[in-house]
Amino acid sequence: MPQSSTVTVTRTDDIAWVTIDNPPVNATSTAVRAGLEQAVAEVQGARVAVLRCDGRTFVAGGDMSEFDDPPAEPHLPDVVQMIEDSPTPFVALMHGSVLGGGFEIAMACAWRIAAPGTGFGLPEVSVGLIPGAGGTQRLPRLIGMEPAIDVACSGKILGAEQMLELGGIDLIAEGDLDIAATEFIADLPDRPLAVSRRPLMAFPAEMIETKRTEITARARGQTAPLENLDALLLALRPYAVAQPLERARHLELRRSAQSRALRHAFFAERAVSRSASIALPRDIRSAVVVGGGLMGAGIATAFLTAGLSVTVIERDGEAAQAAALRVANLVGSALKRGKASEAQVADRLGRFQASAEYSKAAGAELAIEAVFEDVSVKQEVFGRLATVIAPSAILATNTSYLDPRDIFAGIDGPERCIGLHFFSPAHVMKLLEIVKTPQTSPEVIATGFALGKRMRKISVLSGICDGFIGNRMLAAYRREADYLLADGALPYQIDAAMRAFGMPMGPYELQDLTGLQIAWANRQRQAETRDPAERYVPIADQLCASERFGQRVGRGWYLYESGSRRAIRDTAVEAMIETWSHEAGITRRSFAPDEISARLMAVLANEGARIVEEGIAENDDAVDVVKMHGYGFPRWRGGPMHHAQATGWGATARIMQQISNESPGSWKLARRLA
Ligand code: NAI
């Protein structure tokens, strides 16, 4: 039989070397599984077989592009079993990431050798699955039930050192792995009992219940974490009975709505980054951030963490000092959270300065402003920057709502101007909206993406509209929530319905958390251009007028006791809402939680579809990624566009039509819904 090109077998003396070469991550695609099956046959007669991978990693998982189709032969559990049962025992020689199917293969080998820095995990949970080739059955037998729960239920990655300590690997090999394997084999220990035949190590029953409670609390509606726990507990039964049950459940879960949504999320994240390749990016090493308030300090921190030199420019010396303190605190917090060493923090702060002098911006390759949300203030900032900064330097705005074309009006070199819209807190939130103007050059767009990648963010390209992709969707969502308030729901009911749907918070709790003023100012700005036919519910304005700005002042849509973030229903606010409805001649009616979430989802999908139709977002994936990474949309729902797709655009269209009929003149329906 000819050798497969993805798996090759060579011999040196009595050692057979089995090498997988399936870039980029040596996934267990059909060709690899078939190649391994053949390799097991070919290595017979050798004293020992070494299984290793070319490229940057050991097998790092399954090939998810195959998961929508019925599984093709040979099946991974069978291949894994062949490796475990092979008369010629296998040594797994590992580097990079040993994940999912890769970890399952490794556990079937008689011995495991890993390079320092190798990571081990079962990330199936993150795509709504359980392992399907014995992962949940071998892992607790190999390292014990408790660490196995952490790995399978939360997707925790174990380092080589931890694996060695837990007895999951035999050796961490410094230097050349092949030499290490040869040395190991020269003094080969007795073949250990196959992992699947080992007895389960004892564990206390209470531990399972404690873990179950923790996992349930963290899962927020996602089912895979508990599915993994249940699968692990199958290991109380003999392997031969339990593994087929694991496999069957794995295949069922592949067809589940949650797994499809999570796989969609995974592919959508990859898809949005393709916009990065429209040109070669510039390498940015130094940046200036004008305005070191909430956002500016976060952006400066994100830049510093990504290795840039950063100058923050503030209004005066005192403001510069305050900004410097904010940045130092944010940079320092990485140390407290165990995310950076003392040396790293010192290095970051060594690349940072704050000043009131624009001349300090002179050498920067990129300038971003995060000053007040006021077009004239922003214009003045760029006017001053233009006099000191290189004519080619990239100029960026972090505006939430203003039109970048107005902000950059009159600036030389409009091709270097771009919006880089961060989300608060800017050093934490994953999303970056890259807002292009009609003149922004491909090189500058690509540089935005490259910078996003260096900051480990997920960047999404957006065109210009009020609020760009994310905040425009948020505005539609809030508007419908306000119509629900006006027509009969109360804030706590809407919030509870959205939490039940899977959002980390409902719209009113969220407003209280972030503060009501920015949106208020924005509504005032839009007042003149708002379509008079559009229904307008001024309840939020009334709250703001009575200085109920949210948690920070102890009252907003809810009441807050001093120092507490727990929202307490406020009868005064509820009475205010009811009075307003009454005065507006509305007969209030009740809304079931499912109706509330279905309406808010319909509005999001409609707005998302319009955003795509207008060319603001490149496609549905972009909209979904923005909502998941900027607004806490539950990943296991896949984003509003995927949700509409999965539940049927027809249903969305019907709900949207009803919403629109109830509030005539208030909604524009996407063409897709017609
Ligand atoms: P902030 O009020 O916390 O910070 C603004 C800072 O700019 C202040 O420190 C102020 O002293 C400084 N500043 C004002 N004029 C200046 C000038 N001419 N030169 C130098 N510094 C000046 O405001 P925040 O929340 O950080 O917002 C800043 C910008 O970021 C706004 O455009 C806002 O729309 C946008 N943004 C805000 C988000 C948020 O969640 N707060 C999210 C995303 C964007």
Side-chain angles (χ1 to χ4, degrees), residues 290-296 313-315 319 326 358 369-374 377-378 380-381 384 397-402 421-424 471 518:
V290 185
L294 176 72
M295 292 305 291
I313 307 273
E314 260 290 350
R315 286 184 287 179
R326 270 194 285 276
Y358 273 78
E369 67 73 26
V371 299
F372 302 137
E373 186 76 340
D374 179 319
V377 177
K378 291 184 191 290
E380 194 208 319
V381 164
R384 293 184 68 180
T397 172
N398 180 48
T399 183
S400 306
Y401 291 97
L402 302 174
H421 184 218
F422 288 76
F423 289 73
S424 178
N471 282 345
I518 294 183

Short mmCIF file of all heavy atoms in Angstrom, two decimals, residues 290-296 313-315 319 326 358 369-374 377-378 380-381 384 397-402 421-424 471 518, ligand 1:
data_model
loop_
_atom_site.label_atom_id
_atom_site.label_comp_id
_atom_site.label_asym_id
_atom_site.label_seq_id
_atom_site.Cartn_x
_atom_site.Cartn_y
_atom_site.Cartn_z
N VAL A 290 -4.26 60.89 22.72
CA VAL A 290 -4.67 62.19 23.24
C VAL A 290 -5.94 61.99 24.06
O VAL A 290 -6.94 61.45 23.56
CB VAL A 290 -4.91 63.21 22.11
CG1 VAL A 290 -5.21 64.59 22.72
CG2 VAL A 290 -3.71 63.29 21.20
N GLY A 291 -5.87 62.41 25.31
CA GLY A 291 -6.98 62.18 26.24
C GLY A 291 -6.71 60.91 27.02
O GLY A 291 -6.73 59.82 26.47
N GLY A 292 -6.40 61.07 28.29
CA GLY A 292 -6.08 59.90 29.12
C GLY A 292 -7.14 59.65 30.16
O GLY A 292 -6.84 59.37 31.32
N GLY A 293 -8.41 59.75 29.76
CA GLY A 293 -9.52 59.46 30.67
C GLY A 293 -9.78 57.97 30.71
O GLY A 293 -8.86 57.15 30.55
N LEU A 294 -11.04 57.61 30.89
CA LEU A 294 -11.42 56.20 30.97
C LEU A 294 -10.89 55.40 29.77
O LEU A 294 -10.17 54.41 29.92
CB LEU A 294 -12.95 56.10 31.04
CG LEU A 294 -13.51 54.69 31.04
CD1 LEU A 294 -13.26 54.02 32.38
CD2 LEU A 294 -15.00 54.69 30.72
N MET A 295 -11.24 55.87 28.58
CA MET A 295 -10.86 55.11 27.39
C MET A 295 -9.39 55.28 27.05
O MET A 295 -8.69 54.31 26.73
CB MET A 295 -11.72 55.54 26.18
CG MET A 295 -13.16 55.16 26.30
SD MET A 295 -13.43 53.40 26.59
CE MET A 295 -12.93 52.70 25.04
N GLY A 296 -8.90 56.52 27.10
CA GLY A 296 -7.50 56.77 26.73
C GLY A 296 -6.53 55.96 27.58
O GLY A 296 -5.56 55.38 27.06
N ILE A 313 -1.22 62.49 25.83
CA ILE A 313 -1.27 63.96 25.90
C ILE A 313 -2.59 64.36 26.56
O ILE A 313 -3.65 63.89 26.14
CB ILE A 313 -1.22 64.58 24.48
CG1 ILE A 313 -0.04 64.05 23.68
CG2 ILE A 313 -1.26 66.11 24.56
CD1 ILE A 313 1.25 64.78 23.87
N GLU A 314 -2.50 65.19 27.57
CA GLU A 314 -3.71 65.66 28.24
C GLU A 314 -3.80 67.18 28.18
O GLU A 314 -2.93 67.83 27.62
CB GLU A 314 -3.72 65.17 29.70
CG GLU A 314 -4.60 63.94 29.93
CD GLU A 314 -6.10 64.23 29.81
OE1 GLU A 314 -6.50 65.42 29.74
OE2 GLU A 314 -6.89 63.26 29.78
N ARG A 315 -4.86 67.70 28.76
CA ARG A 315 -5.15 69.14 28.61
C ARG A 315 -4.16 70.03 29.35
O ARG A 315 -3.81 71.10 28.88
CB ARG A 315 -6.55 69.43 29.14
CG ARG A 315 -7.62 68.95 28.20
CD ARG A 315 -8.97 69.33 28.70
NE ARG A 315 -9.35 68.52 29.86
CZ ARG A 315 -10.49 68.66 30.51
NH1 ARG A 315 -11.34 69.59 30.15
NH2 ARG A 315 -10.78 67.87 31.51
N ALA A 319 -3.97 67.24 34.61
CA ALA A 319 -4.70 66.16 33.93
C ALA A 319 -3.72 65.08 33.43
O ALA A 319 -4.03 63.89 33.46
CB ALA A 319 -5.52 66.71 32.76
N ARG A 326 -3.65 56.80 36.23
CA ARG A 326 -4.62 55.81 35.72
C ARG A 326 -3.91 54.70 34.95
O ARG A 326 -4.17 53.52 35.14
CB ARG A 326 -5.65 56.48 34.81
CG ARG A 326 -6.87 57.01 35.53
CD ARG A 326 -7.99 57.36 34.56
NE ARG A 326 -7.72 58.60 33.85
CZ ARG A 326 -7.98 59.81 34.32
NH1 ARG A 326 -8.54 59.96 35.50
NH2 ARG A 326 -7.69 60.89 33.63
N TYR A 358 2.10 68.93 23.21
CA TYR A 358 1.93 68.22 21.94
C TYR A 358 3.27 67.90 21.28
O TYR A 358 3.36 66.93 20.52
CB TYR A 358 1.05 69.02 20.98
CG TYR A 358 -0.42 68.75 21.18
CD1 TYR A 358 -1.10 69.34 22.24
CD2 TYR A 358 -1.12 67.90 20.33
CE1 TYR A 358 -2.44 69.08 22.45
CE2 TYR A 358 -2.47 67.64 20.53
CZ TYR A 358 -3.12 68.23 21.59
OH TYR A 358 -4.46 67.98 21.80
N GLU A 369 -7.13 59.67 19.28
CA GLU A 369 -7.72 60.56 20.28
C GLU A 369 -8.83 59.83 21.02
O GLU A 369 -9.57 59.04 20.43
CB GLU A 369 -8.22 61.86 19.65
CG GLU A 369 -9.42 61.74 18.70
CD GLU A 369 -10.74 61.46 19.38
OE1 GLU A 369 -10.89 61.82 20.55
OE2 GLU A 369 -11.62 60.86 18.71
N ALA A 370 -8.92 60.11 22.34
CA ALA A 370 -10.03 59.62 23.16
C ALA A 370 -10.44 60.76 24.08
O ALA A 370 -10.51 60.61 25.29
CB ALA A 370 -9.63 58.39 23.95
N VAL A 371 -10.63 61.95 23.44
CA VAL A 371 -11.05 63.12 24.22
C VAL A 371 -12.57 63.13 24.26
O VAL A 371 -13.23 62.20 23.81
CB VAL A 371 -10.48 64.42 23.62
CG1 VAL A 371 -8.95 64.38 23.65
CG2 VAL A 371 -10.97 64.65 22.20
N PHE A 372 -13.15 64.23 24.78
CA PHE A 372 -14.61 64.27 24.92
C PHE A 372 -15.29 64.03 23.58
O PHE A 372 -14.76 64.38 22.53
CB PHE A 372 -15.04 65.63 25.49
CG PHE A 372 -14.41 65.94 26.83
CD1 PHE A 372 -13.91 67.21 27.10
CD2 PHE A 372 -14.32 64.96 27.80
CE1 PHE A 372 -13.33 67.50 28.33
CE2 PHE A 372 -13.74 65.25 29.04
CZ PHE A 372 -13.24 66.52 29.30
N GLU A 373 -16.49 63.48 23.66
CA GLU A 373 -17.26 63.16 22.45
C GLU A 373 -17.87 64.44 21.89
O GLU A 373 -19.08 64.70 22.01
CB GLU A 373 -18.33 62.12 22.82
CG GLU A 373 -19.14 61.58 21.66
CD GLU A 373 -18.41 60.56 20.80
OE1 GLU A 373 -17.17 60.51 20.82
OE2 GLU A 373 -19.10 59.82 20.07
N ASP A 374 -17.02 65.27 21.30
CA ASP A 374 -17.46 66.57 20.79
C ASP A 374 -16.62 66.85 19.54
O ASP A 374 -15.39 66.86 19.59
CB ASP A 374 -17.21 67.63 21.86
CG ASP A 374 -17.60 69.03 21.41
OD1 ASP A 374 -17.34 69.39 20.24
OD2 ASP A 374 -18.16 69.77 22.22
N VAL A 377 -13.95 69.62 19.64
CA VAL A 377 -12.78 69.29 20.49
C VAL A 377 -11.86 68.33 19.72
O VAL A 377 -10.64 68.49 19.70
CB VAL A 377 -13.23 68.64 21.82
CG1 VAL A 377 -12.03 68.24 22.66
CG2 VAL A 377 -14.13 69.60 22.61
N LYS A 378 -12.46 67.35 19.06
CA LYS A 378 -11.66 66.36 18.33
C LYS A 378 -10.95 66.99 17.14
O LYS A 378 -9.78 66.71 16.86
CB LYS A 378 -12.56 65.19 17.90
CG LYS A 378 -13.05 64.34 19.10
CD LYS A 378 -13.85 63.13 18.67
CE LYS A 378 -14.57 62.39 19.78
NZ LYS A 378 -13.77 61.64 20.73
N GLU A 380 -9.96 70.04 16.89
CA GLU A 380 -8.86 70.87 17.38
C GLU A 380 -7.65 69.99 17.72
O GLU A 380 -6.51 70.34 17.43
CB GLU A 380 -9.32 71.65 18.61
CG GLU A 380 -8.37 72.77 18.97
CD GLU A 380 -8.39 73.12 20.46
OE1 GLU A 380 -9.49 73.16 21.04
OE2 GLU A 380 -7.29 73.31 21.02
N VAL A 381 -7.94 68.83 18.30
CA VAL A 381 -6.85 67.90 18.66
C VAL A 381 -6.07 67.52 17.40
O VAL A 381 -4.83 67.58 17.37
CB VAL A 381 -7.42 66.65 19.35
CG1 VAL A 381 -6.39 65.52 19.36
CG2 VAL A 381 -7.87 66.98 20.76
N ARG A 384 -3.94 70.32 15.99
CA ARG A 384 -2.68 70.52 16.72
C ARG A 384 -1.70 69.38 16.46
O ARG A 384 -0.50 69.60 16.30
CB ARG A 384 -2.97 70.65 18.22
CG ARG A 384 -3.73 71.92 18.54
CD ARG A 384 -3.94 72.10 20.01
NE ARG A 384 -2.67 72.37 20.71
CZ ARG A 384 -2.60 72.56 22.03
NH1 ARG A 384 -3.70 72.49 22.77
NH2 ARG A 384 -1.44 72.80 22.60
N THR A 397 -9.41 57.94 15.43
CA THR A 397 -10.37 58.42 16.43
C THR A 397 -11.05 57.24 17.11
O THR A 397 -11.32 56.23 16.47
CB THR A 397 -11.44 59.34 15.81
OG1 THR A 397 -12.43 59.62 16.82
CG2 THR A 397 -12.12 58.71 14.60
N ASN A 398 -11.32 57.42 18.40
CA ASN A 398 -12.02 56.38 19.16
C ASN A 398 -13.49 56.76 19.34
O ASN A 398 -14.18 56.23 20.20
CB ASN A 398 -11.34 56.22 20.53
CG ASN A 398 -12.00 55.17 21.40
OD1 ASN A 398 -12.27 54.06 20.94
ND2 ASN A 398 -12.29 55.50 22.65
N THR A 399 -13.96 57.67 18.52
CA THR A 399 -15.35 58.13 18.72
C THR A 399 -16.35 56.98 18.71
O THR A 399 -16.18 56.01 17.98
CB THR A 399 -15.76 59.16 17.64
OG1 THR A 399 -17.08 59.60 17.94
CG2 THR A 399 -15.75 58.56 16.24
N SER A 400 -17.41 57.13 19.52
CA SER A 400 -18.45 56.10 19.58
C SER A 400 -19.51 56.33 18.51
O SER A 400 -20.09 55.38 18.01
CB SER A 400 -19.16 56.14 20.93
OG SER A 400 -18.25 56.04 21.98
N TYR A 401 -19.80 57.60 18.23
CA TYR A 401 -20.96 57.90 17.38
C TYR A 401 -20.66 58.92 16.28
O TYR A 401 -21.37 58.96 15.28
CB TYR A 401 -22.11 58.45 18.23
CG TYR A 401 -22.73 57.43 19.15
CD1 TYR A 401 -22.35 57.35 20.49
CD2 TYR A 401 -23.69 56.55 18.68
CE1 TYR A 401 -22.92 56.42 21.34
CE2 TYR A 401 -24.28 55.62 19.52
CZ TYR A 401 -23.89 55.56 20.85
OH TYR A 401 -24.47 54.63 21.68
N LEU A 402 -19.65 59.79 16.50
CA LEU A 402 -19.48 60.90 15.56
C LEU A 402 -18.94 60.39 14.23
O LEU A 402 -18.32 59.33 14.15
CB LEU A 402 -18.51 61.94 16.16
CG LEU A 402 -18.96 62.51 17.51
CD1 LEU A 402 -17.89 63.42 18.10
CD2 LEU A 402 -20.28 63.28 17.35
N HIS A 421 -12.27 51.93 17.10
CA HIS A 421 -13.26 52.03 18.17
C HIS A 421 -13.08 50.90 19.17
O HIS A 421 -13.39 49.75 18.89
CB HIS A 421 -14.67 52.03 17.56
CG HIS A 421 -15.75 52.23 18.58
ND1 HIS A 421 -16.96 51.58 18.53
CD2 HIS A 421 -15.79 53.01 19.68
CE1 HIS A 421 -17.70 51.96 19.57
NE2 HIS A 421 -17.00 52.81 20.28
N PHE A 422 -12.55 51.28 20.34
CA PHE A 422 -12.33 50.32 21.43
C PHE A 422 -13.61 50.23 22.27
O PHE A 422 -14.45 51.12 22.25
CB PHE A 422 -11.18 50.78 22.32
CG PHE A 422 -9.82 50.66 21.68
CD1 PHE A 422 -9.40 51.56 20.72
CD2 PHE A 422 -8.94 49.65 22.07
CE1 PHE A 422 -8.13 51.47 20.14
CE2 PHE A 422 -7.67 49.54 21.49
CZ PHE A 422 -7.27 50.45 20.53
N PHE A 423 -13.67 49.20 23.08
CA PHE A 423 -14.80 49.02 23.99
C PHE A 423 -14.28 49.04 25.42
O PHE A 423 -13.16 48.62 25.69
CB PHE A 423 -15.54 47.71 23.65
CG PHE A 423 -16.27 47.85 22.34
CD1 PHE A 423 -15.57 47.86 21.15
CD2 PHE A 423 -17.63 48.06 22.32
CE1 PHE A 423 -16.23 48.07 19.93
CE2 PHE A 423 -18.30 48.26 21.12
CZ PHE A 423 -17.59 48.27 19.93
N SER A 424 -15.10 49.52 26.31
CA SER A 424 -14.65 49.74 27.68
C SER A 424 -14.80 48.47 28.53
O SER A 424 -15.84 47.83 28.46
CB SER A 424 -15.50 50.87 28.29
OG SER A 424 -15.13 51.07 29.63
N ASN A 471 -22.84 49.82 18.34
CA ASN A 471 -23.72 50.74 19.06
C ASN A 471 -25.01 51.03 18.30
O ASN A 471 -26.02 51.36 18.90
CB ASN A 471 -22.98 52.05 19.39
CG ASN A 471 -22.05 51.87 20.58
OD1 ASN A 471 -22.16 50.89 21.32
ND2 ASN A 471 -21.11 52.78 20.76
N ILE A 518 -24.09 59.11 28.55
CA ILE A 518 -23.58 59.16 27.17
C ILE A 518 -24.74 58.96 26.19
O ILE A 518 -24.90 59.71 25.23
CB ILE A 518 -22.48 58.11 26.94
CG1 ILE A 518 -21.24 58.45 27.80
CG2 ILE A 518 -22.07 58.06 25.47
CD1 ILE A 518 -20.05 57.54 27.60
P1 NAI B 1 -13.39 60.68 29.66
O1 NAI B 1 -14.14 61.91 29.99
O2 NAI B 1 -13.18 59.66 30.71
O3 NAI B 1 -11.98 61.07 29.11
C1 NAI B 1 -11.75 62.14 28.24
C2 NAI B 1 -10.35 62.67 28.54
O4 NAI B 1 -9.96 63.54 27.50
C3 NAI B 1 -10.30 63.45 29.83
O5 NAI B 1 -9.25 62.94 30.63
C4 NAI B 1 -9.99 64.88 29.38
O6 NAI B 1 -9.18 65.58 30.28
C5 NAI B 1 -9.29 64.62 28.07
N1 NAI B 1 -9.37 65.75 27.15
C6 NAI B 1 -10.46 66.46 26.81
N2 NAI B 1 -10.13 67.39 25.89
C7 NAI B 1 -8.82 67.29 25.64
C8 NAI B 1 -7.91 67.96 24.80
N3 NAI B 1 -8.31 68.93 24.00
N4 NAI B 1 -6.63 67.55 24.80
C9 NAI B 1 -6.23 66.54 25.58
N5 NAI B 1 -7.04 65.87 26.39
C10 NAI B 1 -8.33 66.23 26.43
O7 NAI B 1 -14.16 60.06 28.38
P2 NAI B 1 -14.09 58.57 27.82
O8 NAI B 1 -15.23 57.80 28.34
O9 NAI B 1 -12.73 58.05 27.97
O10 NAI B 1 -14.42 58.80 26.28
C11 NAI B 1 -13.47 59.34 25.40
C12 NAI B 1 -13.87 59.05 23.97
O11 NAI B 1 -13.99 57.65 23.80
C13 NAI B 1 -15.20 59.61 23.54
O12 NAI B 1 -15.14 59.99 22.18
C14 NAI B 1 -16.16 58.46 23.72
O13 NAI B 1 -17.29 58.56 22.90
C15 NAI B 1 -15.27 57.33 23.28
N6 NAI B 1 -15.66 56.03 23.78
C16 NAI B 1 -16.13 55.88 25.05
C17 NAI B 1 -16.49 54.63 25.52
C18 NAI B 1 -16.97 54.46 26.92
O14 NAI B 1 -17.48 53.37 27.23
N7 NAI B 1 -16.82 55.43 27.78
C19 NAI B 1 -16.42 53.44 24.65
C20 NAI B 1 -15.85 53.71 23.36
C21 NAI B 1 -15.52 54.96 22.94
#
